[in-house]
């Protein structure tokens, strides 16, 4: 197929000294922000080491936004700084005073704790699945089928990806497994068919649009179904134990249904407006895809094996979570691929995006968990509760939801967010007379999926799409803010009145 590339106007080469100056500013900015926060007096009721930890954490987030160095380097730097100065940043005076406490060993144990997180390994497994799809050309085959029937318009491809996630969501309690392990390996083969390459200006032809649609779709479906996100089930148990309110699968679905349907139907179009692909209509590509499918011929041995392995993984993710952790299921499939020759060891060791994302997300998990460890999250919840004294119930409920949503910036895991903040929010709300607790609980719980869109580390699949090479850092943060705002506003204007009417 003849590739038609859009000519770009020659631009003026950037001034080298100016570029170096900007790089230096971005390099110093995280340090300056952390130092300024360290100089601010410690808020009342908070331990000094907790405030100092928060200062370093904010510096890391600033570094991830402006990215003077790769994200993995920024995250690793934050972990190392905290571990080296753990006496003032991580451990309480009581812990340090204990003769049996070994600070050096405990510092290292905390620093590498993120590498033992199951979600981190599941993300790594998703990259290996993608490698299998790529090497066997099974992913290319599926991509060609999609393009043959829906590839004339970029918008219809966006809807195809969205409905594929929607069909899997009710049966897959891990959105990392669903989107990162099943959807991403297939759609990663779509952009090259249109001459759209990762980490290249051509990414905007169609790849950037498709990747953004995919991560947004999984955030929506994660809120739409109780069984589409593991932390949803945790939230259910917390609501039952703290408030005594039972949320059934049906009531969850009904509560989010109008907003969920609206977002599913409009999101690919919104992404099309806010992040338009350069290739909008292409009659030639579907015809070419049809001829390429003929060239591929019948399924090869390795393609059949990969299909069997992926189906087994999907079945384990849906039905066997009580017996095997989703991340372990992914590792089992990787081992099977290695033993059967679908992948070889060099395919694993040479996968730079996988190892980069693995290191980056593992350090962020440790940093985010550290916020709860030092007591910062508990203090934040307590202070928030005291600020709401005497406020009208409906206003207080809205303020708590907005705070719950925006505080997700501090978490690299929806599970950690749910564990750390939901009990505090439920306790605060229960102490305010007049709040409709069933509606408040449903609003809090159903927001867990959609809030994952706001950052490149907000939910399990986020680092996978961020690491795809199609979503530059500045674009991800900008779009995360826009779509996060849309989702939050829609929760207030559509979901909240509906839930009040129904419950």
């Amino acid at each position: 197929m003849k590739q038609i590339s859009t000519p770009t106007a020659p631009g003026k080469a950037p001034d080298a000294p100016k570029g170096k100056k900007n790089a230096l500013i971005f390099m110093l900015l995280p340090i300056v922000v952390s130092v300024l926060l360290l100089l601010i007096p410690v808020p009342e009721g908070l331990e000094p080491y907790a405030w100092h930890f928060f200062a370093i954490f904010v510096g890391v987030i600033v570094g991830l936004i402006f990215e003077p160095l790769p994200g993995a380097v920024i995250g690793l730097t934050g972990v190392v700084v905290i571990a080296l100065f753990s006496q003032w940043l991580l451990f309480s005076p009581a812990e340090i005073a204990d003769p049996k406490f070994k600070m050096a060993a405990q510092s290292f144990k905390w620093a590498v704790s993120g590498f033992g997180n199951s979600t981190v390994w599941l993300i790594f497994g998703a990259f290996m699945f993608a490698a299998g799809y790529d090497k066997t050309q099974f992913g290319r085959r599926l991509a060609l089928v999609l393009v043959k029937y829906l590839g004339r318009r970029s918008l219809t491809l966006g809807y195809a990806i969205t409905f594929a996630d929607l069909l899997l969501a009710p049966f897959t309690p891990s959105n990392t497994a669903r989107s990162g392990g099943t959807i991403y390996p297939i759609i990663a083969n779509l952009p090259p068919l249109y001459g759209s390459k990762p980490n290249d200006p051509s990414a905007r032809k169609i790849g950037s649009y498709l990747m953004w649609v995919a991560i947004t779709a999984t955030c929506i479906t994660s809120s739409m179904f109780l069984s589409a996100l593991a932390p949803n089930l945790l939230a259910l148990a917390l609501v039952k134990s703290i408030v005594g309110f039972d949320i059934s699968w049906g009531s969850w679905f009904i509560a989010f249904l109008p907003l969920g349907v609206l977002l599913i139907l409009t999101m690919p179009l919104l992404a099309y407006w806010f992040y338009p692909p350069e290739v909008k209509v292409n009659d030639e590509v579907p015809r070419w895809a049809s001829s390429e499918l003929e060239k591929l011929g019948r399924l090869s041995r390795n393609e059949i094996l990969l299909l069997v392995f992926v189906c087994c993984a999907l079945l384990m993710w849906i039905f066997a979570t009580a017996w095997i952790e989703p991340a372990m299921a992914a590792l089992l499939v990787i081992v099977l691929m290695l033993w059967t020759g679908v992948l070889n060891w060099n395919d694993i060791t040479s996968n730079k995006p996988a190892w980069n994302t693995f290191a980056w997300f593992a350090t962020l998990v440790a940093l985010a968990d550290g916020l709860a460890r030092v007591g910062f999250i508990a203090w934040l919840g307590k202070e928030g509760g005291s600020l709401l004294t005497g406020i009208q119930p409906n206003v207080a409920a809205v303020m708590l939801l907005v705070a719950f949503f925006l505080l997700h910036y501090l978490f690299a895991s929806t599970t950690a967010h749910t564990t750390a903040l939901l009990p505090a929010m439920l306790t605060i709300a229960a102490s305010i007379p007049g709040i409709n607790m069933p509606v408040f609980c449903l609003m809090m719980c159903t927001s867990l999926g959609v809030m994952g869109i706001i950052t490149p580390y907000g939910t399990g699949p986020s680092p996978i799409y961020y690491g795809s090479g199609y979503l530059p850092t500045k674009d991800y943060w900008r779009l995360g803010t826009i779509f996060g705002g849309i989702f939050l506003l829609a929760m207030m204007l559509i979901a909240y009145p509906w839930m009040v009417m129904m419950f």
Side-chain angles (χ1 to χ4, degrees):
M1 183 190 75
K2 184 182 177 183
Q3 300 285 355
I4 302 171
S5 56
T6 309
T8 17
K12 185 181 175 183
D15 188 35
K18 185 179 178 181
K20 287 183 179 178
K21 184 180 178 181
N22 287 340
L24 182 61
I25 291 171
F26 290 152
M27 189 85 76
L28 292 173
L29 194 57
I31 300 170
V32 171
V33 169
S34 291
V35 170
L36 287 175
L37 285 172
L38 287 169
L39 295 174
I40 293 174
V42 178
E44 188 178 347
L46 188 65
E47 293 290 337
Y49 71 96
W51 177 252
H52 299 157
F53 185 102
F54 175 70
I56 303 300
F57 181 87
V58 173
V60 169
I61 298 302
V62 171
L64 291 174
I65 293 171
F66 292 99
E67 212 170 35
L69 293 169
V73 177
I74 300 292
L76 189 60
T77 302
V79 165
V80 169
V81 167
I82 290 171
L84 286 175
F85 298 96
S86 57
Q87 183 175 353
W88 301 281
L89 299 173
L90 187 62
F91 301 123
S92 67
E95 285 177 301
I96 296 169
D98 186 348
K100 295 180 181 179
F101 183 74
K102 303 196 180 297
M103 188 162 58
Q106 290 301 316
S107 297
F108 179 76
K109 185 178 178 181
W110 170 81
V112 299
S113 61
F115 291 92
N117 183 277
S118 61
T119 302
V120 173
W121 282 100
L122 191 54
I123 289 168
F124 180 78
F127 274 97
M128 294 305 112
F129 279 30
Y133 275 83
D134 184 51
K135 187 173 182 180
T136 62
Q137 295 201 76
F138 185 62
R140 177 177 168 82
R141 185 186 295 275
L142 292 176
L144 287 169
V145 171
L146 271 178
V147 169
K148 178 181 177 180
Y149 295 105
L150 297 166
R152 183 174 178 270
R153 295 182 181 276
S154 303
L155 186 59
T156 55
L157 272 180
Y159 276 101
I161 292 167
T162 302
F163 288 125
D165 195 292
L166 181 67
L167 288 172
L168 290 172
F171 315 105
T172 318
S174 166
N175 64 353
T176 309
R178 176 174 75 251
S179 189
T182 306
I183 302 292
Y184 171 75
I186 298 170
I187 68 168
N189 291 272
L190 287 170
L193 303 181
Y194 295 80
S196 183
K197 301 174 183 176
N199 302 306
D200 187 80
S202 65
R204 285 301 305 273
K205 281 187 174 181
I206 194 171
S208 300
Y209 168 73
L210 295 180
M211 294 298 167
W212 185 252
V213 166
I215 183 59
T216 312
T218 201
C219 288
I220 295 168
T221 58
S222 294
S223 277
M224 197 165 183
F225 304 102
L226 169 61
S227 51
L229 184 70
N232 289 351
L233 302 167
L234 171 62
L236 199 73
L238 291 172
V239 167
K240 172 68 175 173
S241 63
I242 295 170
V243 182
F245 175 54
D246 277 312
I247 301 175
S248 66
W249 196 98
S251 61
W252 182 299
F253 179 68
I254 291 169
F256 198 78
L257 182 61
L259 178 56
V261 170
L262 179 66
L263 291 178
I264 287 291
L265 294 178
T266 59
M267 181 275 299
L269 188 59
L270 288 172
Y272 194 80
W273 290 339
F274 285 108
Y275 205 40
E278 293 172 4
V279 177
K280 293 179 171 60
V281 179
N282 193 318
D283 291 311
E284 185 184 352
V285 173
R287 287 195 294 269
W288 171 80
S290 184
S291 66
E292 288 297 303
L293 276 170
E294 291 178 13
K295 291 179 187 176
L296 281 177
R298 299 175 64 181
L299 286 169
S300 66
R301 167 193 173 272
N302 282 357
E303 284 181 279
I304 294 170
L305 283 173
L306 179 70
L307 179 59
V308 170
F309 294 154
V310 168
C311 289
C312 288
L314 194 59
L315 289 171
M316 285 187 282
W317 290 336
I318 295 171
F319 300 112
T321 51
W323 298 281
I324 183 167
E325 175 74 27
M328 184 55 69
L331 289 174
L332 171 61
V333 170
I334 292 170
V335 169
L336 291 173
M337 287 196 288
L338 288 168
W339 273 90
T340 54
V342 173
L343 290 178
N344 59 49
W345 186 241
N346 188 56
D347 296 323
I348 306 288
T349 57
S350 63
N351 196 323
K352 290 182 181 178
W355 291 109
N356 178 63
T357 305
F358 179 77
W360 172 69
F361 197 61
T363 55
L364 278 183
V365 166
L367 288 166
D369 286 349
L371 275 179
R373 188 196 185 285
V374 299
F376 183 85
I377 299 299
W379 170 82
L380 200 62
K382 183 181 176 182
E383 290 298 306
S386 64
L387 290 173
L388 294 175
T389 306
I391 295 177
Q392 187 183 0
N394 287 340
V395 176
V398 168
M399 289 175 68
L400 284 171
L401 178 64
V402 171
F404 188 64
F405 196 97
L406 296 180
L407 284 170
H408 196 57
Y409 278 102
L410 302 180
F411 293 91
S413 159
T414 311
T415 302
H417 186 156
T418 307
T419 306
L421 282 187
L422 187 59
M425 294 293 179
L426 293 172
T427 305
I428 292 167
S431 68
I432 301 173
I435 281 189
N436 185 330
M437 284 307 292
V439 170
F440 179 80
C441 293
L442 283 166
M443 284 287 285
M444 282 285 176
C445 293
T446 56
S447 71
L448 290 171
V450 290
M451 70 172 61
I453 197 64
I454 61 178
T455 67
Y457 52 84
T459 189
S462 302
I464 298 169
Y465 290 101
Y466 178 60
S468 68
Y470 288 101
L471 295 171
T473 302
K474 62 177 182 178
D475 288 358
Y476 206 116
W477 285 97
R478 176 176 63 85
L479 291 166
T481 302
I482 292 169
F483 278 74
I486 291 171
F487 291 168
L488 182 56
L489 199 61
M491 290 284 295
M492 300 298 179
L493 299 179
I494 299 170
Y496 186 63
W498 167 259
M499 291 182 197
V500 168
M501 184 175 70
M502 294 300 295
F503 302 96

